[in-house]
């Protein structure tokens, strides 16, 4: 067919006909993965247009972007994977894609020809990036930090990660009136515990219970509150939930029998499985025991590792075990990764495994302790820790229901009554938390329980080296917090929390900071603020008097600080590092203002009127400091609040007018808030 011709004055215009069905025509095209693409004019203008021809089954990668996009299917049909939904778009149908919506196009068996038009809309993008605070806030919040392995005590490397931060997030949510539950506990069955028990000459559960008690003491010293605590040894219901989950996974065809050549110790007559062997991780090349790689967090099969803990190369013997097949859960995990609230580390981690292929995960071993496998031929094997992750979440659900006075088994709880689940863990535990837990929850059709927020921390090192329980390279929480309050330690660990990168801890740096800020600037600032208040009141705070430019400027500082604190508390991912630095800067501002008030001479009447205003201003500042510090150093915050006649800090305090609000001081208001 010849190109149509149009006349414009004396000029003949010959528009080009684009024939995507004939890829040999001289049109600018690109071909990738069975998709022919043509851009009629260069991309990058106000509006971009692309024509696509998709071969049967061809698919784009899942992605999102800042632009608004409009798709029209010209012929054929495609399957659209949009965020967590999947639907068909057929010839003659169109759909709009808003900014940041994660999408993938998959051609049907007939193939498809479609057109996409996209443009940047600042208003649409800003709406997409704004936080929808109403989402999920009506549901209770369940915070689940990773379980601690009870092969030793808690060191500050542990504390700086999920365990302390879970308490910080809990208190942030509580200031906004949210109902919150925290699940803490120790791992059930890991060979790391068996190794430590052998070294200590103790039985498995003896060592686990001893170290679990130490862990609970460390949480108590850190003032890290937990509502539900699960120890290593499961009770009858704990065992039953594991078997219930296992039965459902079997019914979905996700459990397979596999045989491998596994290290075997002739002297002891035992297979060396799990952490009893170690070597190079087959995925990243880092150090790995037969459970998880310390560098990339991948689950590593013991059959892939060369030597035992003594460095001996062992003979290999066949061992048949049970495995969880993650491959059928690919689409569910892809949908999970499409959630906008997942941090970049989590998205990239999940998508990297989706692209390389999901592995099978060992769920049974010939271990000495654990929950027995109820399958003929596997009676001598016990479930691995992989099968205990999700059941612990489900036990927490049942405990929450019991606390509410409406007991129910997990499978009886209406989906809309399930809490929002947020999980916290170190990057070296990523595989289990980002693939196994979401995968099993999806297989159980518990989509409402999929983690909404995921808090991943990197490593905290000690003097440049990894903390290590087995190598005793650590500072133990119960030692450092034995002689005094752990409040300064809480603040400092929040201040150097290893969110996006590895951070280093040294006792010298901590003690220097403690002398400078905690024992110095903070104490001095609060004491001076109380002195300003004490000049005009001993019981009830009077109304303001005269105002100066200094008072007005300080009040503006207070309002800016309160606005920053509110924004950080209401963020989906509160940045506690920046919060602590904002607190330090505000403490210095309180100190400077208090000094200016206390040092300036004035006539008695003028001085008294100005002093009343200053007392109100520093009260306003102390209220803001209470709210800001409560998640980080709760005892300090509550002590200040009580000196002002208040109780547990609430975010709603920022909505009250502290220039006119009645304030009845306690008898201890001059105690410096410490």
């Amino acid at each position: 067919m010849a190109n149509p011709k149009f006349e414009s004055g004396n000029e003949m215009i010959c528009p080009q006909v684009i024939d995507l069905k004939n890829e040999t025509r001289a049109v600018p095209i690109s071909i990738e993965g069975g998709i022919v693409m043509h851009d009629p004019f260069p991309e990058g203008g106000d509006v971009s247009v692309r024509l696509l021809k998709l071969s049967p089954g061809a698919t784009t990668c899942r992605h999102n972007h800042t632009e608004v996009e409009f798709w029209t299917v010209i012929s054929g049909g495609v399957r659209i994977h949009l965020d967590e939904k999947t639907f068909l778009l057929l010839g003659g149908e169109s759909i709009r894609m808003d900014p940041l919506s994660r999408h993938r196009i998959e051609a049907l068996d007939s193939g498809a020809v479609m057109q996409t038009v996209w443009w940047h809309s600042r208003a649409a993008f800003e709406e997409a990036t704004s936080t929808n605070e109403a989402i999920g806030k009506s549901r209770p919040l369940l915070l689940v930090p990773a379980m601690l392995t009870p092969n030793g005590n808690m060191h500050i490397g542990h504390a700086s990660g999920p365990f302390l931060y879970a308490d910080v997030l809990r208190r942030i949510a509580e200031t906004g009136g949210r109902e919150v539950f925290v699940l803490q506990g120790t791992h059930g069955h890991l060979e790391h515990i068996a190794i430590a028990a052998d070294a200590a000459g103790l039985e498995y559960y003896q060592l686990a219970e001893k170290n679990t008690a130490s862990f609970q003491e460390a949480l108590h010293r850190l003032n890290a509150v937990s509502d539900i605590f699960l120890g290593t040894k499961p009770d009858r219901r704990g065992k039953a939930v594991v078997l219930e989950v296992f039965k459902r996974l079997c019914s979905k065809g996700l459990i397979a029998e596999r045989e491998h050549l596994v290290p075997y110790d002739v002297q002891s007559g035992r297979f060396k499985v799990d952490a009893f062997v170690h070597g190079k991780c087959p995925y990243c090349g880092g150090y790995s025991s037969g459970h998880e790689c310390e560098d990339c967090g991948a689950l590593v099969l013991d059959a892939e590792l060369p030597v035992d803990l003594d460095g001996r190369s062992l003979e290999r013997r066949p061992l048949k075990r049970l495995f969880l097949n993650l491959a059928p859960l690919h689409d569910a995990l892809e949908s999970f990764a499409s959630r906008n609230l997942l941090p970049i580390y989590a998205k990239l981690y999940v998508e990297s495994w989706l692209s390389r292929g999901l592995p099978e995960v060992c769920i049974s071993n010939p271990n000495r302790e654990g929950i027995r496998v109820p399958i003929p031929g596997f009676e001598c094997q016990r479930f691995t820790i992989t099968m205990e992750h999700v059941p612990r979440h489900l036990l927490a659900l049942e405990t929450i229901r019991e606390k509410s006075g409406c007991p129910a088994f997990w499978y009886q709880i209406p989906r809309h009554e399930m809490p929002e689940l947020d999980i916290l863990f170190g990057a070296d535990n990523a595989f289990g938390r980002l693939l196994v837990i979401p995968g099993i929850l999806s297989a159980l059709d518990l989509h409402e329980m999929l983690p909404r927020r995921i808090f991943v921390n990197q490593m905290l090192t000690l003097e440049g080296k990894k903390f290590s329980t087995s190598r005793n390279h650590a500072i133990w929480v119960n030692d450092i917090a034995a002689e005094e309050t752990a409040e300064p330690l809480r603040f400092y660990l929040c201040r150097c929390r290893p969110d996006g990168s590895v951070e280093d801890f040294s006792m010298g740096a901590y003690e220097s900071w403690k002398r400078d800020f905690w024992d110095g600037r903070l104490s001095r600032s609060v004491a001076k603020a109380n002195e300003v208040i004490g000049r005009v009141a001993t019981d009830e705070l009077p109304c303001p008097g005269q105002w100066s430019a200094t008072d007005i400027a300080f009040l503006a500082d207070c309002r800016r600080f309160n606005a920053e604190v509110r924004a950080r508390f209401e963020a989906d991912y509160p940045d506690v590092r920046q919060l602590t630095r904002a607190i330090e800067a505000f403490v210095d501002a309180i100190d400077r203002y208090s000094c200016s008030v206390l040092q300036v001479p004035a006539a008695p009447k003028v001085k008294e009127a100005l002093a009343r205003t200053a007392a109100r201003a520093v009260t306003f500042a102390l209220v803001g400091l209470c709210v800001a510090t409560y998640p980080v150093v709760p005892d300090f915050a509550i002590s200040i609040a009580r000196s002002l006649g208040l109780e547990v800090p609430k975010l709603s305090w920022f909505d009250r007018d502290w220039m006119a609000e009645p304030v009845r001081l306690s008898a201890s208001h001059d105690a410096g808030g410490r």
Side-chain angles (χ1 to χ4, degrees):
M1 175 180 175
N3 286 349
K5 299 180 180 180
F6 303 94
E7 292 186 2
S8 177
N10 296 325
E11 182 180 357
M12 186 74 71
I13 300 175
C14 298
Q16 183 180 31
V17 173
I18 300 166
D19 184 3
L20 292 179
K21 297 178 181 178
N22 185 354
E23 298 168 9
T24 62
R25 289 184 65 108
V27 297
I29 63 171
S30 61
I31 304 176
E32 182 178 337
I35 303 175
V36 180
M37 294 172 283
H38 169 71
D39 296 339
F41 46 84
E43 184 179 350
D46 293 337
V47 177
S48 297
V49 178
R50 176 167 293 162
L51 297 173
L52 302 95
K53 176 194 172 188
L54 294 91
S55 301
T59 179
T60 66
C61 63
R62 189 184 286 264
H63 64 286
N64 63 3
H65 41 67
T66 61
E67 295 85 7
V68 177
E69 193 168 14
F70 196 83
W71 297 343
T72 300
V73 176
I74 299 170
S75 64
V78 295
R79 181 176 289 106
I80 305 297
H81 302 270
L82 175 62
D83 292 331
E84 298 167 63
K85 300 176 182 178
T86 300
F87 53 90
L88 298 181
L89 198 67
L90 304 177
E93 296 179 338
S94 300
I95 188 172
R96 169 186 164 126
M97 296 286 133
D98 287 320
L100 301 187
S101 58
R102 293 184 62 81
H103 49 267
R104 177 168 67 86
I105 305 171
E106 178 186 355
L108 302 180
D109 291 342
S110 60
V113 175
M114 61 186 297
Q115 173 183 267
T116 173
V117 180
W118 66 93
W119 65 94
H120 179 74
S121 166
R122 177 178 176 180
F125 178 65
E126 289 180 351
E127 181 180 354
T129 54
S130 63
T131 304
N132 185 355
E133 295 300 330
I135 295 177
K137 293 301 176 68
S138 62
R139 301 162 60 195
L141 175 62
L142 175 60
L143 293 164
V144 183
M147 303 286 114
L148 186 71
T149 304
N151 61 335
N153 299 321
M154 179 192 278
H155 53 63
I156 60 173
H158 295 134
S160 71
F163 305 106
L164 175 57
Y165 196 47
D167 187 69
V168 171
L169 293 174
R170 175 210 185 95
R171 295 178 190 276
I172 287 175
E174 286 178 339
T175 63
R178 186 94 180 265
E179 185 180 17
V180 188
F181 299 92
V182 176
L183 168 63
Q184 297 268 20
T186 50
H187 271 309
H189 300 95
L190 280 171
E191 291 301 83
H192 297 80
I193 306 171
I195 292 167
D198 289 344
L202 297 173
E203 296 296 324
Y204 185 95
Y205 290 120
Q206 278 184 309
L207 179 87
E209 289 169 5
K210 170 178 174 290
N211 289 330
T212 296
S214 174
F215 175 44
Q216 290 178 291
E217 181 185 355
L219 289 177
H220 176 73
R221 290 183 184 276
L222 288 171
N223 199 6
V225 180
S226 63
D227 304 277
I228 308 163
F229 191 93
L230 299 176
T232 296
K233 192 172 186 177
D235 60 13
R236 179 178 297 179
R237 182 59 192 150
K239 294 178 181 178
V241 174
V242 170
L243 297 178
E244 289 164 4
V245 170
F246 176 68
K247 181 178 179 180
R248 282 165 172 76
L249 295 177
C250 288
S251 69
K252 296 289 183 74
L254 297 173
I255 305 300
E257 298 180 8
R258 295 287 183 265
E259 185 174 88
H260 298 89
L261 292 175
V262 177
Y264 184 83
D265 184 9
V266 178
Q267 294 180 1
S268 63
R270 297 183 60 86
F271 283 100
K272 290 294 184 177
V273 296
D274 205 334
F276 279 102
V277 287
H278 66 104
K280 182 182 293 187
C281 171
Y283 300 106
C284 74
Y287 173 79
S288 175
S289 66
H291 176 62
E292 283 183 332
C293 173
E294 290 188 3
D295 291 337
C296 71
L299 290 185
V300 179
L301 188 62
D302 40 40
E304 299 172 312
L305 299 174
V307 298
D308 69 1
L309 297 177
D310 296 324
R312 297 179 300 162
S313 295
L314 302 175
E315 71 171 79
R316 307 272 168 157
R317 292 190 180 182
L319 176 64
K320 184 179 290 187
R321 294 176 288 185
L322 298 178
F323 283 74
L324 170 66
N325 186 7
L326 291 177
L329 301 172
H330 180 282
D331 289 349
L333 289 170
E334 184 183 52
S335 174
F336 171 68
S338 74
R339 296 184 168 199
N340 284 338
L341 281 177
L342 263 63
I344 187 169
Y345 177 89
K347 283 184 181 292
L348 293 176
Y349 188 90
V350 175
E351 290 177 354
S352 70
W353 277 100
L354 292 174
S355 63
R356 77 174 78 170
L358 294 167
E360 295 181 334
V361 183
C362 181
I363 64 167
S364 74
N365 262 326
N367 294 337
R368 288 174 286 180
E369 304 294 345
I371 301 170
R372 291 186 181 276
V373 177
I375 298 292
F378 295 89
E379 298 91 340
C380 294
Q381 295 191 21
R382 317 289 179 114
F383 285 116
T384 67
I385 193 66
T386 300
M387 277 302 301
E388 297 183 352
H389 289 318
V390 167
R392 288 183 164 228
H393 292 67
L394 303 182
L395 283 170
L397 288 185
E398 295 184 357
T399 304
I400 291 171
R401 293 286 295 194
E402 187 175 350
K403 287 177 177 286
S404 69
C406 302
F409 294 129
W410 62 269
Y411 47 81
Q412 298 172 328
I413 301 173
R415 298 297 191 261
H416 69 277
E417 295 182 10
M418 290 184 171
E420 173 192 319
L421 174 64
D422 293 353
I423 59 175
L424 305 89
F425 55 91
D428 55 338
N429 298 138
F431 191 95
R433 274 73 188 178
L434 292 177
L435 293 170
V436 174
I437 289 177
I440 293 179
L441 287 171
S442 297
L444 298 175
D445 297 320
L446 294 176
H447 303 289
E448 294 79 4
M449 273 291 289
L450 286 171
R452 179 172 180 265
R453 296 186 298 174
I454 292 175
F455 299 90
V456 187
N457 63 269
Q458 299 300 319
M459 192 79 67
L460 184 74
T461 57
L462 175 60
E463 308 285 358
K465 297 180 180 179
K466 289 182 180 179
F467 278 85
S468 173
T469 298
S470 60
R471 295 188 291 273
N472 200 34
H473 180 68
I475 298 173
W476 310 107
V477 170
N478 288 336
D479 291 341
I480 194 172
E483 299 179 357
E484 58 181 16
T485 174
E487 294 263 293
L489 179 63
R490 279 183 63 116
F491 195 105
Y492 189 76
L493 291 179
C494 288
R495 190 179 188 273
C496 61
R497 174 176 160 79
D499 270 326
S501 60
V502 174
E503 297 288 337
D504 191 57
F505 181 94
S506 73
M507 279 302 298
Y510 168 63
E511 290 171 349
S512 175
W513 168 88
K514 184 173 178 294
R515 285 192 303 270
D516 172 61
F517 178 74
W518 187 263
D519 298 328
R521 291 150 51 202
L522 180 61
S523 293
R524 182 174 64 248
S525 177
V526 175
K528 287 181 179 178
N530 280 324
E531 186 179 348
V532 170
I533 296 172
R535 294 172 69 178
V536 299
T538 57
D539 51 3
E540 188 168 341
L541 198 64
C543 292
Q546 291 196 52
W547 287 80
S548 70
T550 304
D551 303 320
I552 294 171
F554 180 63
L555 198 64
D557 286 341
C558 294
R559 287 172 175 155
R560 280 192 293 269
F561 176 73
N562 290 356
E564 179 179 357
V565 172
R566 183 192 291 275
R568 296 204 180 279
F569 279 24
E570 292 180 344
D572 278 306
Y573 285 87
D575 189 335
V576 71
R577 290 168 57 97
Q578 293 301 317
L579 176 64
T580 56
R581 283 158 174 77
I583 290 170
E584 290 178 346
F586 189 57
V587 164
D588 292 338
I590 296 173
D591 184 57
R592 288 191 300 271
Y593 175 73
S594 299
C595 285
S596 68
V597 171
L598 294 171
Q599 293 177 4
V600 176
K605 284 191 175 181
V606 175
K607 187 173 184 178
E608 191 272 337
L610 288 170
R612 295 203 316 270
T613 300
R616 279 284 175 173
V618 296
T619 298
F620 186 24
L622 290 177
V623 168
L625 190 62
C626 281
V627 177
T629 56
Y630 176 66
V632 181
V633 280
D635 288 347
F636 168 80
I638 291 174
S639 68
I640 295 181
R642 288 177 176 167
S643 75
L644 300 174
L646 302 168
E647 289 300 326
V648 179
K650 301 292 182 185
L651 198 58
S652 60
W653 288 4
F654 287 160
D655 300 324
R656 295 161 65 175
D657 183 4
W658 293 101
M659 290 298 103
E661 184 88 15
V663 177
R664 185 168 295 277
L665 305 173
S666 73
S668 61
H669 81 274
D670 60 346
R674 299 290 296 279

